[in-house]
Amino acid sequence: MTAQPNKAIAAIRSLIYYLVFYPFTIVYSTFCLLIGRFLSFETRFKVFTVINYSYIAWLRLCCGVRLDVKGLENLPKDRAYVLVANHQSEFETIFLLTMVRPQCIVLKKELLDIPFFGWALAMLEPIALDRSQRRGALKQLLTQGKARLEAGRPVVIFPQGTRVPVGEPGRFNKGGAMLAASAGVPVVPLAHNAGTCWPGKGFIKYPGVVSVEVGEPVETQGQSVDQVHDAAIGWLLAKMDEQLEN
């Protein structure tokens, strides 16, 4: 696990990070809202998410957070897929938009109500779920998710449903496996330890290395939902434990 340095220094660096992060986000989101309707989805995605590269670079420069990414060769190049990842902080939601391009992310619909950022995010056609309506949310995920996959867009899901502290496995739902099985596409598991540097719902960012690893695709043909889920999440949990020990 990444050692945490002087908390006061880390807090000052984090404050500087946000003093740039929020104004930049508002200005760029406004720009995206003005031009987004005139762009195709593919172009819109590229333009809207170029800011994410700046977030990652600024995080490294300002807060000392670096990346170690492995397994990119496991991402299918010639077909859509469902990527399932653990959820520890805001970092992975920022980073994954630079890794899987284009994509459709599954998120809670409240995020689309955030001024500027949420309005721009809505133009990237995510699957925005109402988590208070569990049965309706699953139907929406399967219906809209299958349509996105058929259009050739990978779907990114955080099956824990919410941010879970480092060292806690949380509960992984089967929505990703169900979607992949219904669409006949593979599930790609991804494990990371972003919460060691950027704790969930936390203000302070700690210097260190965020380890990200992509597992081999789990094929769905001839497999039950339970078999697909167990294979993908089993790998993910084992890798999370490994990252915790290193």
Side-chain angles (χ1 to χ4, degrees):
M1 182 180 295
T2 304
Q4 294 184 352
N6 184 284
K7 192 170 183 178
I9 294 176
I12 293 171
R13 296 176 75 176
S14 299
L15 176 61
I16 295 172
Y17 176 81
Y18 280 120
L19 286 175
V20 173
F21 178 91
Y22 284 121
F24 192 27
T25 297
I26 292 173
V27 171
Y28 196 76
S29 295
T30 302
F31 166 72
C32 290
L33 288 168
L34 291 173
I35 68 169
R37 70 183 65 184
F38 304 108
L39 306 176
S40 67
F41 176 81
E42 288 73 18
T43 302
R44 190 188 314 148
F45 187 93
K46 291 177 182 178
V47 171
F48 280 33
T49 59
V50 72
I51 192 175
N52 290 58
Y53 293 96
S54 300
Y55 291 150
I56 299 299
W58 180 231
L59 188 65
R60 177 170 182 165
L61 178 64
C62 186
C63 300
V65 177
R66 293 171 289 125
L67 268 170
D68 177 31
V69 183
K70 299 176 181 177
L72 287 177
E73 68 277 5
N74 290 325
L75 293 175
K77 305 296 191 298
D78 57 350
R79 54 180 173 162
Y81 53 90
V82 175
L83 186 142
V84 295
N86 58 309
H87 199 11
Q88 293 182 351
S89 75
E90 295 174 37
F91 177 87
E92 57 268 23
T93 62
I94 294 173
F95 170 70
L96 287 179
L97 285 168
T98 69
M99 193 186 81
V100 181
R101 303 174 61 78
Q103 66 167 257
C104 168
I105 190 168
V106 179
L107 45 75
K108 57 184 180 181
K109 70 174 187 177
E110 293 89 343
L111 290 177
L112 304 186
D113 296 327
I114 299 175
F116 303 103
F117 165 79
W119 303 338
L121 181 60
M123 299 184 74
L124 295 182
E125 302 177 15
I127 299 175
L129 303 179
D130 182 350
R131 295 189 297 183
S132 67
Q133 305 292 329
R134 293 185 61 182
R135 185 168 300 180
L138 178 59
K139 182 179 180 181
Q140 179 186 356
L141 171 64
L142 296 178
T143 301
Q144 295 185 8
K146 192 171 183 179
R148 303 294 196 279
L149 291 166
E150 289 175 349
R153 301 180 199 170
V155 174
V156 175
I157 299 178
F158 299 106
Q160 290 165 304
T162 189
R163 286 169 286 191
V164 177
V166 175
E168 297 181 17
R171 178 181 177 276
F172 290 81
N173 66 59
K174 298 180 181 179
M178 293 176 68
L179 172 59
S182 68
V185 301
V187 172
V188 178
L190 178 146
H192 65 86
N193 63 347
T196 59
C197 295
W198 186 329
K201 302 179 181 180
F203 172 80
I204 299 179
K205 316 291 177 279
Y206 297 98
V209 179
V210 173
S211 296
V212 179
E213 186 160 350
V214 182
E216 294 183 1
V218 177
E219 299 296 340
T220 57
Q221 298 296 329
Q223 302 291 319
S224 69
V225 169
D226 285 344
Q227 288 173 320
V228 172
H229 176 79
D230 290 345
I233 302 306
W235 180 91
L236 203 161
L237 288 170
K239 187 58 61 175
M240 287 170 61
D241 288 340
E242 181 182 315
Q243 291 172 340
L244 188 62
E245 294 171 359
N246 294 335

